[in-house]
């Protein structure tokens, strides 16, 4: 009977075993997890164990039933959503942090790397030197933190401290109809309500319509509600569109509004010299978000928010001094156990305890450098352009939105099928069932499109070509079957 956990000494042995298992998983030769659901449900589930089986058995279960039935996301052919498998440097740093830095509080080498890596990213992506950052779990929380700063700023201007006293006035946020819905959820969580977000229509390239934005701002100018922020996309989720950041930034200045740029996916695109100019105006942003767990290939659970005034975050998110949290008490004459508690990240966002994320980003950047990341970003953007080129040349394919970055929205077309949206959904369903090339779908201008997003470090041109061929093959087959 085992009642206590194994202690130190065994980790290297088990890591070796797990490492082999993970490498094997990453060769992608295992069957699809969906095919044998029942068997791993049986092996892993059941009622709560009264007596422990010991760590050898736990590791064996992980190797046999857990890892081989993991997600398809790391697969080179998986281009769905905006998710990707982690690269080795990030995995190793993440594991090291789990062991050696279980707390962001205090001065440690891991905590030191939070600011170091945030500053590296800021420099790499051309953010203004005054921007300071904070890690959180991903784009959802990163946008929440940014809009929390915007809310604090906008209400303080009216003599209200919204974090302390709550909202006493209605508020508004402006974002394109392509904005990620985490903006709406952030508005809800921050007490503004989802309906505070006004959707501004987009143009043919998926960017916000500036005239519509300006008209809306003018129309709302006399209202008794607080304009909290204008949100610009630096890479929209549907079609990788980049809004006209300079124009939005100037409108934000004119109307006295905070300017937030959601670059969760697309900020690293600035490294591609072919599209760098599209980020002009980024320097006008009051806040910017970027997700290292997207294009940088970090293990999932890492987003970052930058703001031009980190003290604002402190006012927006402080949990206030608490006797049980020594570093927060700053009374005159207070004798502290330490000379320094490091940067008070726990005061800048919504997490007190949190994993070490800086070391992960530091490891990723240190491994391949800015030039390595630039190569990856350019390669992925080229792949999306190649898909568009192939689709433009094929009589049964239509490019619905040409790529700005690494997403291409295209669809199968034929005059022999009445409902093309239904046809493309069927094609997508078959792609997912075949399990080799797995894109997403979305709607662009009322058309259901096949939407690969190339961000996986392991994804190469061959996967992009294979996807196009498979879409044509499945489309042709569905046509033939329907004519039989
Ligand atoms: C532009 C944008 N913002 C925010 C998010 C939310 O990020 P997360 O899934 O890390 O919470 C996404 C996710 O794809 C995104 O594309």
């Amino acid at each position: 009977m085992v009642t206590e956990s194994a202690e130190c000494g065994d980790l290297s042995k088990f890591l070796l075993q797990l490492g082999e298992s993970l490498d094997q998983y990453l060769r992608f030769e295992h069957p699809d997890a969906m095919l044998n659901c029942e068997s791993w449900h049986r092996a892993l589930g059941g009622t709560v164990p009264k007596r422990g089986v010991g760590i050898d058995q736990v590791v064996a279960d992980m190797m046999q039933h857990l890892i081989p039935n993991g997600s398809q996301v790391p697969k080179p052919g998986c281009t769905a959503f905006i998710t990707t498998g982690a690269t080795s440097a990030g995995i190793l740093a993440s594991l090291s942090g789990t062991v050696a830095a279980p707390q962001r509080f205090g001065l440690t080498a891991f905590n030191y790397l939070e600011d170091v890596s945030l500053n590296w990213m800021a420099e790499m992506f051309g953010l203004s030197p005054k921007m300071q950052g904070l890690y959180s779990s991903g784009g959802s929380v990163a946008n929440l933190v940014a809009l929390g700063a915007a809310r604090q700023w906008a209400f303080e201007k009216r003599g209200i401290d919204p974090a302390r006293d709550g909202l006493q006035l209605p508020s508004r946020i402006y974002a394109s109809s392509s904005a990620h819905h985490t903006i709406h959820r952030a508005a809800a969580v921050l007490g503004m309500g989802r309906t505070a977000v006004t959707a501004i229509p987009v143009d043919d390239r998926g960017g916000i319509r500036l005239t519509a934005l300006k008209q809306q701002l003018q129309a709302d100018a006399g209202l008794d509600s607080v304009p909290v922020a204008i949100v610009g996309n630096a890479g929209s989720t549907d079609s990788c569109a980049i809004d006209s950041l300079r124009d939005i930034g100037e409108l934000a200045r004119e109307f006295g509004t905070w300017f937030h740029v959601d670059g969760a996916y697309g900020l690293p695109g600035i490294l591609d010299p072919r599209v760098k100019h599209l980020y002009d105006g980024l320097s006008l942003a009051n806040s910017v978000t970027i997700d290292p767990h997207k294009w940088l290939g970090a293990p999932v659970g890492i987003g970052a928010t930058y703001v031009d005034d980190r003290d604002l975050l402190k006012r927006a998110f402080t949990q206030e001094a608490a006797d049980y949290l020594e570093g927060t008490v700053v009374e005159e004459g207070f004798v502290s156990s330490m000379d320094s508690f490091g940067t008070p990240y726990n005061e800048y966002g919504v997490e007190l305890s949190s994993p070490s994320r800086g070391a992960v980003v530091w490891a990723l950047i240190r491994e391949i450098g800015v030039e390595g990341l630039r190569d990856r970003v350019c390669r992925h953007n080229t792949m999306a352009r190649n898909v568009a080129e192939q689709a433009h040349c094929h009589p049964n394919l239509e490019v619905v939105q040409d790529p700005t970055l690494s997403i291409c929205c295209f669809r199968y077309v034929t005059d022999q099928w009445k409902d093309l949206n239904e046809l493309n959904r069927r094609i997508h369903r078959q792609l997912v069932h075949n399990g080799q090339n797995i894109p997403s779908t979305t709607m662009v201008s009322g058309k259901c499109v096949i939407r690969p997003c190339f961000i996986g470090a392991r994804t190469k041109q061959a996967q992009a070509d294979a996807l196009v061929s498979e879409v044509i093959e499945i489309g042709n087959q569905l046509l033939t079957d329907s004519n039989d």
Side-chain angles (χ1 to χ4, degrees):
M1 178 173 87
V2 181
T3 54
E4 286 286 344
S5 288
E7 295 299 336
C8 56
D10 285 337
L11 207 47
S12 53
K13 177 181 104 185
F14 292 124
L15 282 179
L16 208 60
Q17 292 174 11
L18 274 193
E20 278 169 19
S21 204
L22 289 168
D23 274 339
Q24 200 177 339
Y25 172 79
L26 287 177
R27 284 194 283 276
F28 304 104
E29 288 157 0
H30 51 276
D32 187 331
M34 297 302 288
L35 298 178
N36 59 346
C37 264
E38 267 182 33
S39 110
W40 52 265
H41 275 199
R42 229 183 1 262
L44 299 171
T47 54
V48 61
K50 288 221 170 48
R51 304 194 193 293
V53 290
I55 191 164
D56 287 285
Q57 185 57 46
V58 172
V59 172
D61 287 345
M62 288 168 75
M63 291 170 67
Q64 197 184 341
H65 302 293
L66 186 66
I67 294 169
N69 295 308
S71 167
Q72 301 267 45
V73 161
K75 244 186 188 171
C78 182
T79 55
F81 312 114
I82 309 185
T83 49
T84 182
T87 59
S88 301
I91 297 168
L92 297 170
S94 172
L95 177 66
S96 307
T98 307
V99 176
Q103 191 44 278
R104 197 167 41 165
F105 196 63
L107 257 189
T108 67
F110 285 86
N111 291 351
Y112 170 67
L113 290 184
E114 300 275 297
D115 262 348
V116 168
S117 60
L118 283 161
N119 293 340
W120 281 6
M121 281 202 295
E123 190 184 332
M124 186 159 69
F125 300 140
L127 299 187
S128 118
K130 62 178 188 244
M131 298 300 257
Q132 285 188 299
L134 169 80
Y135 284 117
S136 60
S137 62
S140 305
V141 178
N143 278 336
L144 173 78
V145 169
L147 291 177
R151 184 190 72 163
Q152 193 68 22
W153 180 82
F155 277 79
E156 279 183 1
K157 282 204 297 179
R158 304 201 171 202
I160 298 168
D161 179 346
R164 191 191 58 198
D165 301 324
L167 306 187
Q168 295 164 37
L169 289 168
S171 49
R172 307 185 305 274
I173 291 173
Y174 302 88
S176 91
S177 53
S178 296
H180 198 274
H181 286 200
T182 50
I183 298 296
H184 306 69
R185 185 170 54 195
V189 174
L190 290 164
M192 296 183 263
R194 283 193 297 277
T195 54
V197 183
T198 303
I200 309 295
V202 293
D203 58 24
D204 293 346
R205 293 201 53 80
I208 197 165
R209 280 189 192 277
L210 289 165
T211 41
L213 173 61
K214 185 160 187 175
Q215 277 164 6
Q216 189 70 52
L217 288 165
Q218 281 166 337
D220 293 353
L223 297 181
D224 198 19
S225 65
V226 182
V228 165
I230 307 178
V231 179
N233 274 323
S236 68
T237 312
D238 283 320
S239 66
C240 63
I242 300 176
D243 289 332
S244 179
L245 302 180
R246 177 157 301 281
D247 292 319
I248 303 179
E250 282 168 3
L251 277 179
R253 294 277 195 281
E254 187 184 331
F255 286 86
T257 305
W258 183 275
F259 176 31
H260 171 59
V261 173
D262 185 349
Y265 150 58
L267 193 62
I270 200 170
L271 296 177
D272 184 339
R274 294 168 296 182
V275 291
K276 185 170 190 268
H277 62 282
L278 299 176
Y279 294 80
D280 175 48
L282 186 61
S283 57
L284 298 178
N286 301 100
S287 58
V288 179
T289 46
I290 150 81
D291 271 4
H293 69 199
K294 293 187 166 64
W295 230 336
L296 268 65
V300 72
I302 310 187
T305 308
Y306 289 87
V307 288
D308 56 7
D309 176 4
R310 208 157 58 171
D311 280 347
L312 203 54
L313 285 182
K314 200 165 178 183
R315 297 200 294 280
F317 292 107
T318 182
Q319 57 165 41
E320 300 193 320
D323 291 336
Y324 52 78
L325 207 56
E326 196 186 321
T328 62
V329 179
V330 284
E331 283 160 14
E332 187 79 30
F334 185 86
V335 180
S336 159
S337 64
M338 288 194 243
D339 292 337
S340 169
F341 288 89
T343 309
Y345 297 106
N346 55 297
E347 290 279 274
Y348 296 146
V350 292
E351 298 170 316
L352 174 52
S353 302
S354 82
S356 166
R357 297 163 177 130
V360 176
V361 174
W362 168 86
L364 296 170
I365 300 174
R366 189 153 158 75
E367 183 197 8
I368 62 172
V370 182
E371 291 313 317
L373 191 60
R374 191 192 313 281
D375 286 349
R376 185 189 298 166
V377 166
C378 291
R379 173 165 60 87
H380 288 146
N381 288 351
T382 301
M383 283 160 59
R385 289 169 182 217
N386 288 346
V387 168
E389 210 174 292
Q390 292 176 45
H392 277 303
C393 295
H394 195 281
N396 285 112
L397 296 180
E398 177 192 24
V399 178
V400 178
Q401 189 99 75
D402 269 306
T404 306
L405 299 173
S406 69
I407 293 174
C408 180
C409 295
F410 70 106
R411 65 176 187 161
Y412 187 97
V413 286
T414 168
D415 52 16
Q416 293 173 54
W417 201 289
K418 204 161 141 246
D419 183 348
L420 289 179
N421 286 352
E422 187 237 2
L423 175 61
N424 280 278
R425 283 198 186 99
R426 282 194 186 210
I427 292 172
H428 180 249
R429 185 176 161 79
Q430 192 59 50
L431 285 166
V432 172
H433 275 246
N434 294 352
Q436 288 310 310
N437 303 296
I438 313 172
S440 292
T441 57
T442 192
M443 298 296 287
V444 176
S445 312
K447 297 174 179 174
C448 172
V449 295
I450 306 289
R451 174 203 162 278
C453 172
F454 301 106
I455 54 163
R458 300 179 186 89
T459 307
K460 303 271 160 46
Q461 181 62 47
Q463 275 91 34
D465 296 341
L467 170 66
V468 176
S469 306
E470 200 179 350
V471 168
I472 298 168
E473 211 174 287
I474 297 171
N476 291 349
Q477 189 60 51
L478 286 170
L479 277 191
T480 311
D481 293 350
S482 74
N483 292 331
D484 283 348

